[in-house]
Amino acid sequence: MPAIFVTATDTGVGKTVTTAALAVALRRRGMSVGVMKPVETGVVKGRFSDTGRLTGAAQVSESLDLVRPYAFRLPVAPLDAAWAERRTIKIPTIMRSYRELHAQHDLLLVEGVGGVHVPITPTMDVLDLIEKLKAPVLVVGRVGLGGVNHAMLTLNALRERKVPILALVLNRTASAKTAMARRQERSTVELLRESAGVPVIGPLPYMAGVDARFEWAVGKLAANSEMKKLTKLVLASARGTR
């Protein structure tokens, strides 16, 4: 298992912070961890990008163009973002970067964009790219209300293509301030542990203001007990002992 693809049930569910924390946790175990973000949208000069955060967490020195072959300013699906700039996303370009990064590290973490059916080219979406990379998948999902449906839709889409799924990681995207919100979280976790058919990790803790203190947040998250479970699962899979 030379690489893991990190996808999500939706946008904004914590895919980047989970990937970055996993990179930190694996690096603390002595692994050389590479990171890749094949396509990133909403990239604005002078602001932190997901790719910048990932390379910082993994402490890698590869060029940004290698780690992120395609960057677009408009915060929309990659296909539309590319059209807006009159550019074309070429899968062979992504594959070349993938192979080069894969050869340089013990393990490569590839973070997708949005969910599995987000279009990348007129004929390919994220799920098609996952198939082409032949990498097992970590799915990051929301732990609150709606999390069960979104997670099962994503897991079933991956299963239809016979894509190996390492685990479902549930993340708190908001603080559960009420008794009902906490009940909804428990319900989501319990139901998915019964029905997901894959290991369910989490929920990961809610971390307020993570964007403003990203390095501190991922360092703390890497030491979280649920993240340690995920790290052990990834290491076992990488060694072929799972």
Side-chain angles (χ1 to χ4, degrees):
M1 188 187 64
I4 295 173
F5 196 101
V6 184
T7 191
T9 60
D10 197 357
T11 189
V13 298
K15 189 166 67 271
T16 300
V17 70
T18 301
T19 306
L22 180 58
V24 171
L26 291 167
R27 188 167 47 77
R28 288 174 179 174
R29 295 290 191 100
M31 292 190 75
S32 168
V33 183
V35 290
M36 184 181 183
K37 178 93 176 177
V39 183
E40 184 175 0
T41 63
V43 178
V44 178
K45 189 176 181 180
R47 294 184 189 174
F48 286 112
S49 66
D50 289 349
T51 307
R53 291 185 170 112
L54 292 176
T55 56
Q59 293 189 0
V60 294
S61 58
E62 287 97 353
S63 71
L64 206 59
D65 289 340
L66 178 63
V67 175
R68 182 188 62 199
Y70 291 99
F72 302 99
R73 181 180 177 86
L74 204 61
V76 295
L79 177 60
D80 197 19
W83 278 345
E85 297 183 20
R86 297 183 179 180
R87 295 168 61 195
T88 301
I89 297 174
K90 298 179 180 179
I91 300 301
T93 299
I94 292 174
M95 295 303 296
R96 281 195 297 272
S97 293
Y98 174 79
R99 286 190 290 268
E100 183 173 343
L101 290 167
H102 159 255
Q104 295 176 12
H105 298 281
D106 298 330
L107 185 66
L108 179 63
L109 301 178
V110 184
E111 184 190 332
V113 54
V116 294
H117 285 309
V118 170
I120 297 175
T121 76
T123 59
M124 291 188 68
D125 60 15
V126 171
L127 185 50
D128 294 314
L129 178 60
I130 291 171
E131 271 195 311
K132 200 164 185 63
L133 295 178
K134 294 181 170 59
V137 171
L138 286 177
V139 178
V140 181
R142 199 184 313 274
V143 75
L145 193 64
V148 174
N149 181 59
H150 290 165
M152 294 307 299
L153 286 170
T154 302
L155 294 172
N156 288 336
L158 290 164
R159 286 193 182 103
E160 286 178 5
R161 300 285 190 93
K162 303 188 186 310
V163 174
I165 306 166
L166 288 180
L168 169 64
V169 183
L170 296 176
N171 186 47
R172 285 190 177 98
T173 57
S175 177
K177 296 180 179 179
T178 66
M180 181 54 69
R182 291 189 288 274
R183 179 67 182 86
Q184 289 167 341
E185 282 193 354
R186 289 195 301 274
S187 174
T188 298
V189 174
E190 290 167 3
L191 289 171
L192 284 170
R193 282 180 177 159
E194 291 176 2
S195 60
V198 297
V200 176
I201 305 294
L204 301 181
Y206 171 67
M207 307 186 82
V210 64
D211 286 343
R213 45 180 185 167
F214 191 83
E215 184 177 349
W216 171 86
V218 297
K220 185 174 181 179
L221 184 57
N224 175 267
S225 59
E226 291 299 310
M227 185 56 68
K228 287 181 178 179
K229 290 180 186 177
L230 178 61
T231 305
K232 288 180 181 178
L233 176 65
V234 168
L235 287 171
S237 296
R239 293 165 182 160
T241 59
R242 176 170 175 262

